[in-house]
Amino acid sequence: MSCSDAALSGIRVIDLSRVLGGPYCTQLLGDHGADVIKIEPPSGDETRGWGPPFAADAASYFHGLNRSKRGMALDLRQAAGRELLLQLLEGTDVLVENFKPGTLEKWGLGYEVLEARFPGLIHCRISGFGADGPLGGLPGYDAVIQAMAGLMSVNGEAGGDPLRIGLPVVDIVTGLNAVIGISLALHERQRSGRGQFVEAALFDSGLSLMHPHFPNVFHGGPAPRRTGNAHPNIAPYEVYRTATQPLFLAVGNNGQFARLCETIGCPELTADPRFIDNGTRLANREALRDALESAMATEEGEALAERLIRVGVPCGPVLETREVLAHPHTAHREMIVEIGAYRGTGSPVKLGRTPSRYRRPPPRFGEHTEEILAALGLSPTRVADLRGQGVIPASRA
C-alpha cells in the first residue's frame, strides 16, 4: 500500500475532470504514486450512472477509471466552494480539468489567475477542440471526434459504411497525451521552478492517430479507403480463416513471409511473381488471401498462431474478451488489478525500480471529504456549516 518509492510520490493532483479522458489520465498518475484528489460536482461524475453493470455506488464504467484516488464532492458554483478549491490548490502540483473552456474563467479561476497565485502549478485542460479557432470551445465527444478526425472514414469493411471504432480510443489517447504533457511539464519545472498550461484536445489526439493514412496523402497516395481488417500498405496483414479460430497475420517483410509459407506447407508461394515482395503482395492481396487460407484450411487456429509466432512470424488468434482476461500472459504482465472486491485493468506503464502501486479502489461519492478538509485545518463545525449550505454535498450510502 505504500507509495513512498513510486515515481510520482510527493506529487499532489487535484482532479476536477469527469467522464473518461481526464479520469484515465489521473488514474495513471495515481497508480504511479501521485496523491490524486478527485473532486466531483454535487451530481457526481456522470459515469457513476453509466450502467449496468454496477458495483457499490457506481457503474463499472466509473470503476474502470477512478482507482488510486481520494474522493470528495464540492459545489464550485458557490463562492465558498471555489474558496475551498483555492485552499486545496496550496501546495498542489497539478490541476486536471475538462470544463468547457471559459467556465473556470467565469468563476475567476482561469489560468492567469491561478498562475499568479500558484506559479508552480501545472494546469492541464482536456477539451474537445481547444479554447479558440473555428471550433474552439465547442463540446467534443469521442465518437464525434472519430467521425471528424477521419478515423471512421478508414474503419469498416471495403464498400461498407464508416464505423466507429468499438472503444473510446480518442478519449484514451487524449488521457495518455495529458499524462505525457504533465510529465514533461513536471520535468521542465525542475529547471525553471515554474508551472505551465498543458492542453490535450480530443481533436488533436484524433488527428494524431491517423497513421499511415495522413502520411500516405502527404506523399501523393490516393485518398484512403476502408479496407476492413486489411492494412493499406502491407500484405499479408489482416484476419485469415483456419479450420477453427481465425488468426491475424502481420507480415512485415520477405523473411517473415518465407517463414510463414514454410510453416504452413506452401514454400512455393515465395517464388510466385505475384507475391515476390510487399508491393506485389499488396497488388494481389485477394489472390494471396485465397492461397494462404487454402493452406491453413485444416489448421487449428490458436495452435497454428503459436507455431508461427515461435518462428518469428507476427500473428495471433482473434480472442474474445473473456479469453483475453483468462490468458496466462495477461496475468504474467500484471494487467489485472485486485483490491479487495475491486477488479480492474492494470497500468500499461511498467517501471523497473518504481512500479505502479494500486493503493485504493475507486472512491465512493464524497468518501474522503472529511479527511481532506481536516488536513486543511477546517473544524468539524465549519465542515457541518458548509454541508448545511450545500457547498459540500452529503456522501451517498
Side-chain angles (χ1 to χ4, degrees):
M1 296 288 288
S2 171
C3 67
S4 60
D5 61 345
L8 295 177
S9 176
I11 297 296
R12 180 197 281 178
V13 178
I14 298 296
D15 179 10
L16 300 180
S17 68
R18 307 178 315 285
V19 187
L20 209 169
Y24 188 91
C25 161
T26 53
Q27 177 171 273
L28 188 56
L29 297 175
D31 285 345
H32 284 275
D35 176 20
V36 179
I37 299 175
K38 180 179 178 69
I39 299 178
E40 298 183 59
S43 57
D45 187 319
E46 45 263 63
T47 62
R48 286 186 179 274
W50 286 10
F54 290 92
D57 71 337
S60 59
Y61 200 109
F62 176 89
H63 281 267
L65 299 164
N66 288 289
R67 69 164 174 260
S68 299
K69 306 175 187 181
R70 294 189 287 163
M72 68 175 291
L74 189 61
D75 189 352
L76 294 177
R77 295 169 300 180
Q78 299 194 47
R82 297 193 290 274
E83 185 57 38
L84 271 181
L85 174 63
L86 289 171
Q87 288 182 254
L88 285 167
L89 288 174
E90 293 283 353
T92 288
D93 300 282
V94 180
L95 170 66
V96 178
E97 50 95 358
N98 62 352
F99 288 108
K100 181 180 177 181
T103 300
L104 287 182
E105 287 77 8
K106 179 182 67 175
W107 289 340
L109 297 172
Y111 173 68
E112 291 77 11
V113 173
L114 296 180
E115 180 189 29
R117 183 160 177 173
F118 311 109
L121 180 68
I122 293 162
H123 181 160
C124 176
R125 172 172 293 165
I126 294 173
S127 67
F129 298 95
D132 50 22
L135 300 176
L138 296 178
Y141 289 82
D142 179 275
V144 173
I145 303 301
Q146 287 198 35
M148 295 184 66
L151 297 171
M152 285 179 61
S153 77
V154 297
N155 189 52
E157 295 298 331
D161 293 332
L163 285 179
R164 179 183 69 87
I165 297 167
L167 51 88
V169 60
V170 174
D171 274 330
I172 290 172
V173 168
T174 304
L176 291 172
N177 287 340
V179 171
I180 293 169
I182 290 167
S183 300
L184 294 172
L186 285 170
H187 178 75
E188 192 279 337
R189 193 179 67 173
Q190 293 180 327
R191 180 173 67 247
S192 68
R194 300 177 57 198
Q196 59 182 298
F197 188 73
V198 174
E199 187 175 38
L202 272 68
F203 186 74
D204 301 352
S205 296
L207 296 179
S208 75
L209 288 167
M210 285 293 287
H211 184 88
H213 304 289
F214 282 177
N216 288 346
V217 172
F218 292 153
H219 292 277
R225 58 188 178 86
R226 290 179 288 284
T227 57
N229 288 313
H231 196 287
N233 294 65
I234 310 169
Y237 200 109
E238 57 183 297
V239 174
Y240 295 86
R241 293 189 298 267
T242 69
T244 55
Q245 204 162 19
L247 57 82
F248 199 106
L249 291 171
V251 175
N253 58 54
N254 288 342
Q256 292 172 356
F257 183 65
R259 290 192 291 276
L260 165 66
C261 294
E262 180 69 30
T263 302
I264 64 176
C266 54
E268 69 279 0
L269 292 182
T270 60
D272 189 315
R274 298 173 298 171
F275 314 135
I276 203 74
D277 57 25
N278 182 68
T280 57
R281 291 193 291 271
L282 197 63
N284 296 283
R285 189 200 309 269
E286 293 184 8
L288 176 61
R289 184 191 306 111
D290 291 342
L292 294 176
E293 289 187 335
S294 176
M296 295 187 293
T298 61
E299 296 276 5
E300 194 279 318
E302 194 160 5
L304 175 60
E306 175 77 10
R307 286 177 18 230
L308 286 170
I309 201 168
R310 294 291 177 187
V311 298
V313 179
C315 70
V318 180
L319 301 177
E320 298 292 339
T321 304
R322 293 185 185 277
E323 293 176 304
V324 177
L325 293 175
H327 198 288
H329 203 68
T330 302
H332 177 75
R333 295 297 300 169
E334 300 180 341
M335 286 305 296
I336 297 178
V337 175
E338 296 187 355
I339 310 172
Y342 166 83
R343 296 183 79 218
T345 308
S347 171
V349 180
K350 313 293 188 187
L351 299 180
R353 286 191 300 102
T354 57
S356 52
R357 298 279 190 251
Y358 306 114
R359 297 162 290 149
R360 302 176 186 269
R364 297 187 302 276
F365 180 77
E367 178 179 357
H368 303 98
T369 299
E370 278 76 9
E371 171 189 316
I372 293 166
L373 295 182
L376 290 180
L378 271 68
S379 68
T381 301
R382 177 57 176 157
V383 171
D385 182 49
L386 291 169
R387 283 204 185 280
Q389 299 174 40
V391 175
I392 305 171
S395 301
R396 300 171 185 167

